Amino acid sequence: MNAWLKVENLSVDFPVGGTRRAPVLLRALRSVSLEVPKGTVFGVVGESGCGKSTLARVLSGLTAPTGGEVSLEGVPLGMHRSSIQRRRVQMVFQDPGSSLNPAMTVRTMLSQLLRFHQIVPKDRIEDRCRELMTQVNMPTDALDRKPGNLSGGQRQRIAIARALALEPEILIADEPTAALDVSVQASVLNLLQGLIRDLGMTMIFISHDMAVVRRICDHVAVMYLGRIVEIGKTEHVFTDPRHPYTNALMAAVPRLNPVPAGEYQMLKAEQPSPLANISGCAFRGRCPKAGSICATQNPDLAGKNQLVACHFPKGGTDA
Amino acid sequence: MSGLLDITNLRIDLGQARTPVSPVGPLDLTLDVGECLGIVGESGSGKSLTLKAILDVLPEGLVRGAGTLRVMEQGKWVEPAAKDLRGRKIGLISQEPGAALDPLMRVGDLIGEIVRLHSGCSRAESKTRAIDLLRQVGVPDPEKRATFWPHELSGGLKQRIVISMALACKSEILLCDEPTTALDVTIQAQIVDLLRDLQKQHGLGIIFVTHDLALIRQIADRICIMYAGLIVETGPSAEIFKAPQHPYTRALLAALPDIEASSGNLQPIEGTPPNPTDFSVGCRFAARCALATEACRAARPLLEKTERGTMVACFHAGVAP
């Protein structure tokens, strides 16, 4: 992978109680590093509370990191971005019902952005709005509607159009289809896939739905309790998971064609609280392979193509 | 197999409407002892309303317009009042377990209260029974957990508590309304496992409502596909997934991303389901269906038996699209 968008040792702590001197910290991200090559779709999967949404928020500059850095083409991307930097990274949220202003028509929403960022000359704004609507497969008369008069799938298309208005290089999608029915989800996924291909954008796709990630992502990172436990090509990670947690996730995904028993191992307990102090490997409490070394030493991400953070990965530590 | 629940001709009406509007039905449902019936459909298809109608807890404005509901009681079909079913014969497990638990009672007391109500035993005895029930639903360290408040528990544990409350009622039928939607996929697998165990051990009949086709494939013995308030296809789960006959069932499966496959196009279903006020006399799926003809718009197809042992409501059932 050639580094384009780079995340290095990113940590995010949220104070959730305690005193100012001794705050209780929720450690949402614990030293996360990853690299995203230009023009690919990068997926982040994990259970709720694993830090995947926090990662998305840091990337788009909505949450300040406690430590570490995000950089794009070697230039740091912090909380305070110039309008040009902001244009480069745009986000689509999970719930279009609450991320769109209910009092604005779609036209006001889009033209406001186009005017503020001076993306097109004033007399071209109306044309550009229409173009954007065509790009997201919406009729142009929807420009005069307000979000309340649109269906869930249509609202999500408007949210995508709003992100596209700034001609971003990176689109961050945080569970963009979680609130949609399966028949509508398919059309939004197809739309996103087409846009990425046609416009040459890079997309960070956050989801807990493994089947969706399998479908649209080139690379995938599996997160557990604020850490990345496995990262690699989607094809490899999903067909040959090396970390026991990835294996367990695959076991838990409901399938149309049931897999033979014994291929994957089910998990017993639940994910510990992100408030907990963790020594060693975060997954060891639920791990069928855990040994004594796991209690003392946190495994580093290692490997050649498919990086895995485990002392006893499937296929051995050298694979 | 012996029957447990039999619903015929169920219809839900909008109370005040001048012209009759029925968002759901008429539809028939049956449930056998130890069977899991899955109801799948998109949001607004009326699957949750159907469950609510069984317990007679419909939202205000909606009424059960028609239909008979019978349950098997000691070898005889009886038609009881809904209030005698709720919390006795039939238990409900909702999408949001937090809402089903009294936040001001420790979970052990919550379950103990139900045990006392149903068996009239002493406080001390109900306490040990509660802990026993917690153990049955796989709560780790039940003695300690019984002293917890609901807010101290994770979503998965809360759902287990709700299930144990249904067991405390000695319910024979569990209505599950998207019980795992709020849970993570590894926890979802645990809850599904638990429900399957209880189904086997206690001979529970389960009606499992969800929008997740892959999940229903895992848990249900028999499924009903609902569209715009009607059952469009029903039959043994394996048969329907092997060879879906109704165009809507096929479209749903074509729109579903599968974990096994990374390529191939997803086929969205164009258009939206009709509003209950705009239901036509014909097939309700006709406007979105590639096979629709004049006949479909003129009259509504009824559920008919196929040679595969399933039932389909379509004039073009089985025709390749």
Side-chain angles (χ1 to χ4, degrees), chain A residues 281-292:
Chain A
C281 176
F283 185 59
R284 79 186 137 90
R286 302 170 82 185
C287 184
K289 291 183 183 173
S292 57

Side-chain angles (χ1 to χ4, degrees), chain A residues 140-161:
Chain A
T140 43
D141 58 8
L143 277 172
D144 295 313
R145 298 217 213 142
K146 289 182 180 171
N149 297 325
L150 300 167
S151 71
Q154 289 176 321
R155 274 186 224 156
Q156 199 57 290
R157 284 165 194 273
I158 299 300
I160 294 170

Side-chain angles (χ1 to χ4, degrees), chain B residues 248-298:
Chain B
Y248 178 62
T249 317
R250 289 180 175 170
L252 270 184
L253 286 170
L256 186 73
D258 188 5
I259 186 91
E260 320 268 351
S262 57
S263 55
N265 261 335
L266 293 179
Q267 300 284 333
I269 310 176
E270 298 300 335
T272 48
N275 258 326
T277 43
D278 311 330
F279 284 161
S280 64
V281 288
C283 173
R284 290 175 186 173
F285 187 58
R288 305 171 80 185
C289 182
L291 299 173
T293 56
E294 266 321 299
C296 301
R297 284 180 268 272

Side-chain angles (χ1 to χ4, degrees), chain A residues 46-48 151 181-187 189-190 193 208-212 214-215 235 238 245 248-259 266-271 286, chain B residues 41-43 154-157 160 184-190 193 211-215 217-218 241 252-253 255-269 272 288:
Chain A
E47 295 178 275
S48 36
S151 71
D181 268 317
V182 40
S183 61
V184 182
Q185 164 177 290
S187 69
L189 288 180
N190 285 349
Q193 243 179 338
H208 65 272
D209 189 329
M210 308 284 281
V212 170
R214 171 88 201 253
R215 175 70 59 158
E235 213 41 53
F238 277 50
Y245 177 63
L249 269 185
M250 298 302 291
V253 175
R255 288 152 195 272
L256 290 178
N257 304 310
V259 286
M266 282 266 288
L267 284 186
K268 287 281 172 273
E270 300 191 10
Q271 180 173 283
R286 302 170 82 185
Chain B
E42 291 179 87
S43 37
S154 66
L157 277 178
R160 283 177 197 267
D184 281 315
V185 46
T186 54
I187 310 300
Q188 166 174 291
Q190 292 172 6
D193 253 21
H211 64 274
D212 188 337
L213 283 159
L215 180 60
R217 174 79 180 93
Q218 306 255 293
F241 278 98
L252 270 184
L253 286 170
L256 186 73
D258 188 5
I259 186 91
E260 320 268 351
S262 57
S263 55
N265 261 335
L266 293 179
Q267 300 284 333
I269 310 176
T272 48
R288 305 171 80 185

Side-chain angles (χ1 to χ4, degrees), chain A residues 42 74 86-87 92 119 129 165 181 185 212 242 246 292 298:
Chain A
F42 190 92
R86 261 183 282 148
R87 265 185 65 181
V92 175
I119 289 165
C129 285
D181 268 317
Q185 164 177 290
V212 170
R242 292 182 57 208
T246 318
S292 57
N298 180 35

Side-chain angles (χ1 to χ4, degrees), chain B residues 46-88:
Chain B
K47 51 195 196 309
S48 289
L49 282 182
T50 307
L51 286 195
K52 289 189 173 135
I54 294 175
L55 290 176
D56 202 10
V57 287
L58 286 166
E60 214 171 307
L62 291 170
V63 289
R64 205 162 94 194
T68 50
L69 188 155
R70 298 183 303 160
V71 293
M72 186 62 88
E73 204 82 69
Q74 283 138 10
K76 278 199 295 272
W77 286 109
V78 289
E79 205 176 316
K83 69 171 173 38
D84 299 328
L85 289 175
R86 286 197 292 261
R88 294 168 206 275

